[in-house]
Structure formats: structure tokens, C-alpha cells
Amino acid sequence: DAIDLGKVDWISRRVKHCIHLKQLGGALSEHWTAQLVDDANGSISLEKLEGNLRHEQEQFYTVNVGALESGREYSGKIKYTGEYGDSVTVGITFTAGDMPVGEDALNLAAGAKVSVSSASTLNGWTSASLVDGSFTADYNRFGWSSEKHAENRPEWVQLELSEPRTVSQVVLAPRGENPGGTVAEAFHGEGEGVGGVLEFAAGHKAVDPNVGQGFPEDFLISVSSDGNSWKTVKSCVDYPLPSNGKARAFDFAPVENVRFVKVEASKLRANPNENGEYAMQLAQVAVYAEAHMPTVPSAPGQVLLQVKDHTVHVSWQTTFDGRSALQGSHIVLRNDADEAIEAQIVGDAGHVSIQQVPDGLWTAEVYSFNAIGSGEKAYSDQVAIGDGKTHHILDGADSERIPAPKVALQVPDGTLRVTWTLPA
């Protein structure tokens, strides 16, 4: 059999191909496996590798032509083999369409050849989605997911660009909002997404709680000219959950002659909405020659603490990429008993004063945030207030040995001041 797709645009085309028993000459096999015999220069990607012929299972495959020659005809082959050895080979032919222009042309990863460590067999997840130029999901096209596991394990995705390029930014788009929009549109059953995929949280929820899930916690971004010798351009540890679903961009000094880009995750995120299973999941990977998309703020510089009595003045150097203004900063004072005092300011100011800080040893952590999300943290040196002893917040055990506190109303701000004297 043969399928002619005609002219295929640079952006991925998802094609449904139904396999019927009569195509196998009446073979008795019920279960089949699919094998990509010829991937047409890396442009064809299979979503599902096995199924049940008696129920006319749909076979989806995706064609990316971003790395092909515009106007040239290509062909590929997929072989289906039954459990008893019966088989059929289906040929696929198409003509590569026009290459991307304008904004789309800036993304060097559009239509790149994709390799992954593993791939989920659930419908709607395909590695080809990573380079189709779309930073959002569709109702039957969520992005790429690795296999799911009960425990953490390393996973990776690798892109081969159409030609060597200078690269200075890699963008990772996390799992986004439920594309169905509402419960009625998105769910066909209890906890089931479109097509019976366990895509969203179990139970009927109007807001998708899985936004950002699958984004790795510890990972490296590396580049290479030959796929063998790698240069790490970004290392992230304990990366926060991108709960707003917005793409995360990573800047680095320009690297020339880059043909391969790799994202290696050593620590995955357990999804509490999917039985605590681990998986690496992304909607898109984009690559740019110049810093293009806004990033979350970098870690503030030189966090300093100045103490006067029980007032701590925190100052820092704000840093941002110039593409997205700072919306504010979050400050946390923490003592050696892990008690915390938090403050938040609006705008790009680099200082704040926190009053009535108890005796003890204190350290400040500061991070800024913009429209994309919260940035990296920076920390101050430790300072002592009072005699340097840590005075714990009053609890049931302390109340037996600490005299009753004195409470006074502060004028004019109307706050209460609570004081007590610790026993010697």
C-alpha cells in the first residue's frame, strides 16, 4: 500500500492511518507492532508502536519537513508485523513545502530531527511535537512525554538542527493548560482526557492541575557540533515548577557551529495528580541564535544585611534580561532553627527593611519575579541579632517555661507588639 500526503508544510502534520485486517490478507493476528523502516531523512515520527488490529486501531504519525529541501519529494516506509509473523509495509510519499518565514524562521529547532531516551505510548504524546513550532498543546497533541515510572530515572531529548548554527538561547515549553478549556469539552469520562488518555488529573476539574508538571528539577542543557563532544551551557538544580505554563528561556554566551542540542534530566518531578509517577514532559523545545524570548530573572547580586537593633536592612543588586521588566522581589529571612520572616516588594527596587526581628542567627534569600515567573535565588552571609541565640516561636512546650508575654498596641499603625523574657 502507499499513501501520498501531497505537499507538506514545514510545520508538523499529524496523520491518522487506520489499519484493517483485510490489508493483511486476512491474517489472524490480533496484536501488531509498527516499525519505522524508512523515516524520510528523519522527518517521519511514529506516535504508537503497537495495537489491536481487530478493533481497527488508529495509527498516528507526524511529518516534519523543517530540515528537508523545499520542493523535493521524499518517501518513507512503515512496517506492521502481527504476533504470528504476518506483516504489511505501507509507503508514505510527500513533497516538502516552503520553509518558515518571519518569526517562525528565527526558531532554529523548527522541524529538527528529534531523538529521545524513551517515549510514552499513550495517544497524543509524540516527540515530533517538540519541534512543530507550537508552544501550546492541542486537544489530541500534548507534546512529548517519556515513559512513566514509579521512581526517578534519567531522561533526555536531543535535537539535530538542519545545519550548524550559532546558538545563544534554548527555550523549554512546559506542559500547558488543558486545551479543552472546560470540563465538558476536555473529559469523556472520569479522569479521562480526549481519546481516553489519562492526561489530566483524576476527577472532574475545570482547571488543569497538571500545568508545568513533567518539567525536570535537575537538568543540563548542552550543545555539540558532532553529537559526540558536548559543551554544557546551562545547569539547573531544584528548578521550580513552572505552574503558570509559560515557556522558560535559558540564555548563555553564543556558541558557534552547533548542530546538536541536548536536554538531560537527572532528577524528574513526581506528579501528585498521576499517582506520584515520574516522567519528563515538554510541549516544545526552541533554539535561537540570539537572546529572543524573555527569561525569568537571574539570581540577584550581592545580597547584604545591615542590622540596627532589631531592624534588618536587606539590599541586593537586581538583574534582568531587559526583555521583561521586573514585577517585584521576594525576601525571606531564615534563622538556624528554620523559622522564617517573609517580605515582598513591588517593582525593581533592590532594598527593604524588616523590623522586629528576634535575636538569633539570620540569613536572607532573595529572588525576583517577572511576567514569566520566579527567578533564581541568591543568599546573604549570616548575621547575628542580639546575643546570637535563637529564640523559638512560642509553642506549647515553651509556654511551660516562658513567662506570660506582654502585648502592646502600636500607634499609629495598629499592630500588636508581643514581648517576653526568656529564662536564664
Side-chain angles (χ1 to χ4, degrees), residues 180-202:
T182 66
V183 170
E185 295 169 338
F187 289 91
H188 286 209
E190 182 67 20
E192 292 188 354
V194 174
V197 180
L198 295 175
E199 158 61 5
F200 308 118

Side-chain angles (χ1 to χ4, degrees), residues 401-421:
R401 62 183 180 85
I402 298 177
K406 298 177 181 180
V407 180
L409 179 64
Q410 302 296 297
V411 180
D413 60 4
T415 60
L416 291 177
R417 181 179 176 86
V418 182
T419 60
W420 64 91
T421 301

Side-chain angles (χ1 to χ4, degrees), residues 28-51:
L28 298 179
S29 291
E30 178 175 357
H31 300 286
W32 55 264
T33 57
Q35 178 186 1
L36 196 54
V37 178
D38 184 349
D39 65 1
N41 286 28
S43 64
I44 299 177
S45 174
L46 283 173
E47 287 190 17
K48 194 171 183 179
L49 300 178
E50 54 187 30

Side-chain angles (χ1 to χ4, degrees), residues 47 120 122-127 142-145 175 197 199 281:
E47 287 190 17
S120 170
L122 292 174
N123 291 328
W125 296 100
T126 170
S127 58
F142 310 126
W144 164 74
S145 174
R175 187 170 172 173
V197 180
E199 158 61 5
Q281 297 172 326

